[in-house]
Amino acid sequence: MAIRLGAPNYPGDTMVLTGRVEEVDGDTATVRVLGANGIGSHVTGTVTVTVPTASTAPVVPAVSGEAG
């Protein structure tokens, strides 16, 4: 993750976070992110994520009472 902070974000401000996939290489993706409020861009940057495949994803047990 590499981010840069810009305009301040104060308590009560509304900030909208968006992201766009910039590059995919196998199971790794680079995502450009932007967090903006009424003043302007609060945070910008890129995040590199690895997407697990079905064979490597963790198994999450169902919780009793969940519809399923």
Side-chain angles (χ1 to χ4, degrees), residues 20-32 47-49 51:
R20 181 178 65 228
V21 176
E22 295 281 312
E23 181 182 350
V24 176
D25 182 12
D27 63 351
T28 302
T30 301
V31 181
R32 179 159 305 280
V47 179
T48 302
V49 295
V51 180

Side-chain angles (χ1 to χ4, degrees), residues 10-65:
Y10 298 107
D13 286 352
T14 298
M15 182 168 47
V16 177
L17 296 167
T18 58
R20 181 178 65 228
V21 176
E22 295 281 312
E23 181 182 350
V24 176
D25 182 12
D27 63 351
T28 302
T30 301
V31 181
R32 179 159 305 280
V33 294
L34 170 66
N37 60 25
I39 300 172
S41 295
H42 172 68
V43 62
T44 58
T46 57
V47 179
T48 302
V49 295
T50 300
V51 180
T53 63
S55 63
T56 62
V59 176
V60 179
V63 176
S64 177

